[in-house]
Amino acid sequence: MSRPKKRKQVPTFTQSQFAARLSVFLKAGIPLVESLHLVKIIDCKEIIERISAGQTCSGALYSCYKVNPLLFQMIHIGERSGTLAQALEQASRLLQKNLDQKKKIVGAFIYPGFIAIATLGIAGFLVLYIFPKIIPLLLSMNIPLPLLTRVVMFVSDSVLHHWILLSAVFVTLLAVFVVAWKRFNFLQKVALDTVLRIPFIGSIFRGSIIAELFGPLHILLANGESLPNSLALIGDLTSHSFYSKILSDATVQVNNGGSLSDFFQKISQTKSRYIPKLISEMTLMGEKTGGIANACEHIVTIFSSEVDESLARLSQLIEPILMLCMGLIVGSIALSIILPIYEITNHLTK
């Protein structure tokens, strides 16, 4: 029995380009098969063969490539409703918007990361190269060394003479953490809860997750998908297990005839860091006016703005904090070298 063919992974940026270009060709009146021939973003040969054999576009794409479930679902909805071009355009916009949001967040942490690496590099050079050359001189003087110098000496000696053991311990702990992270969901919840408590960073993290959840929900509802099915799909789509559980419970509530706003209100009373009260208020307005899709769009706009504001404030605060940390680390190491020299000078003058 032959093994099923392994599907190829497609980057999010490529998926967005594929959906946008295919949408343009379909809007121009070009048939689907010919449009796929013209796309050239990904190899569509096998997709075309499957469509020609009677398979749907969504099914053919899913059989050949690993794509965002939202893109697959949007193509399926577009085929079902006869609005494939519009569905592809909406999917492309949403994928690109999520990608741009992630780029903003990553970009905000590039400079802090560079400063942190530079600080560790300077500290490592002082501790592992400069300090060992001075230690013999300090020990030969038979003078009491300051506590700071003894601490740095211990670190330097440990890294230089026991680096294999330290590396083995680090790799072991990292492996244990990775296995535990995948196996025990409570660790992910603890980590998420900790991150959400951090000023600015918590707002960035929460806002990006909420925008990532309610953006696709708005698109699905606007294209006629039912609320329970949309909630279930978004719950399966997210990589955050806690939010996946919330959306799964919301699906059950709505399927049983309950109100989505009531469910979010109960969650916000005990877990407001995860689901703010604003979400229950917005969904309540959507239920009263019959426009939950529009309410989801407003939620995305509000929390995307919160992410942008938090990123701007964090950028203003992080530079002086990093400079202070860099000064403390490098200054402490420099003092551990200077203080013994000062003691030697005092000893020689006596």
Side-chain angles (χ1 to χ4, degrees):
M1 184 177 179
S2 60
R3 293 182 179 179
K5 183 178 178 182
K6 187 177 181 180
R7 295 184 297 158
K8 298 178 182 177
Q9 182 71 47
V10 182
T12 303
F13 176 70
T14 305
Q15 295 179 44
S16 176
Q17 281 190 319
F18 168 78
R21 189 170 295 186
L22 183 58
S23 172
V24 170
F25 292 143
L26 291 174
K27 283 184 176 181
I30 302 173
L32 176 60
V33 172
E34 292 183 26
S35 297
L36 289 169
H37 274 297
L38 295 171
V39 168
K40 300 186 185 302
I41 298 294
I42 59 176
D43 184 6
C44 297
K45 183 178 179 181
E46 188 176 350
I47 297 176
I48 293 171
E49 291 175 356
R50 289 176 177 271
I51 292 175
S52 300
Q55 197 170 0
T56 62
C57 180
S58 57
L61 180 65
Y62 181 82
S63 301
C64 300
Y65 292 100
K66 287 183 180 180
V67 297
N68 191 304
L70 174 69
L71 176 59
F72 164 75
Q73 190 69 16
M74 288 302 298
I75 294 175
H76 177 67
I77 291 173
E79 290 174 318
R80 193 172 60 190
S81 61
T83 57
L84 182 56
Q86 290 81 358
L88 283 166
E89 182 181 14
Q90 290 175 323
S92 173
R93 286 179 180 174
L94 186 60
L95 290 172
Q96 188 60 49
K97 186 176 181 179
N98 290 342
L99 196 62
D100 292 341
Q101 186 94 318
K102 290 178 181 178
K103 284 181 179 178
K104 281 183 183 180
I105 296 173
V106 172
F109 288 96
I110 287 178
Y111 175 71
F114 175 78
I115 295 297
I117 291 172
T119 302
L120 291 175
I122 295 171
F125 174 75
L126 292 173
V127 171
L128 302 178
Y129 184 76
I130 300 297
F131 204 78
K133 296 181 180 299
I134 301 174
I135 288 176
L137 174 63
L138 301 179
L139 295 176
S140 65
M141 297 301 295
N142 293 321
I143 59 172
L145 297 177
L147 176 62
L148 185 59
T149 304
R150 282 181 277 139
V151 171
V152 176
M153 187 183 298
F154 172 77
V155 173
S156 176
D157 182 71
S158 299
V159 174
L160 287 173
H161 297 95
H162 307 288
W163 64 271
I164 296 178
L165 177 61
L166 292 174
S167 300
V169 170
F170 174 76
V171 171
T172 302
L173 291 175
L174 181 62
V176 170
F177 175 78
V178 170
V179 172
W181 179 268
K182 292 181 178 180
R183 181 167 297 183
F184 303 111
N185 288 334
F186 79 91
L187 288 178
Q188 300 178 23
K189 184 178 182 302
V190 170
L192 178 61
D193 189 66
T194 302
V195 171
L196 293 180
R197 290 175 183 271
I198 302 174
F200 300 115
I201 294 178
S203 299
I204 294 169
F205 200 76
R206 181 186 62 185
S208 63
I209 293 176
I210 290 175
E212 194 175 301
L213 295 178
F214 282 86
L217 187 59
H218 156 66
I219 296 294
L220 292 173
L221 293 173
N223 282 273
E225 191 63 46
S226 68
L227 180 58
N229 289 344
S230 299
L231 290 170
L233 175 66
I234 303 305
D236 293 337
L237 187 148
T238 181
S239 58
H240 304 284
S241 58
F242 182 77
Y243 280 96
S244 178
K245 177 67 168 56
I246 289 177
L247 292 176
S248 177
D249 293 341
T251 303
V252 174
Q253 170 101 347
V254 174
N255 273 326
N256 292 333
S259 166
L260 183 62
S261 60
D262 289 343
F263 174 80
F264 282 145
Q265 185 178 13
K266 292 178 183 178
I267 294 293
S268 64
Q269 288 174 354
T270 56
K271 301 179 178 67
S272 59
R273 281 190 299 274
Y274 302 94
I275 301 293
K277 187 178 179 181
L278 177 64
I279 291 180
S280 65
E281 294 173 348
M282 294 298 295
T283 51
L284 177 61
M285 290 176 58
E287 289 171 341
K288 287 182 176 179
T289 60
I292 294 184
N294 292 332
C296 292
E297 185 178 18
H298 292 317
I299 289 171
V300 173
T301 302
I302 291 169
F303 283 94
S304 295
S305 300
E306 181 183 274
V307 171
D308 293 338
E309 291 175 5
S310 298
L311 282 172
R313 292 180 183 178
L314 184 63
S315 299
Q316 295 173 353
L317 290 174
I318 203 164
E319 184 173 349
I321 293 174
L322 282 173
M323 291 303 175
L324 178 61
C325 293
M326 184 177 182
L328 287 174
I329 294 172
V330 177
S332 297
I333 297 173
L335 278 175
S336 69
I337 298 173
I338 295 171
L339 288 176
I341 296 175
Y342 179 75
E343 292 290 336
I344 293 171
T345 303
N346 288 339
H347 181 73
L348 292 175
T349 54
K350 291 180 181 179

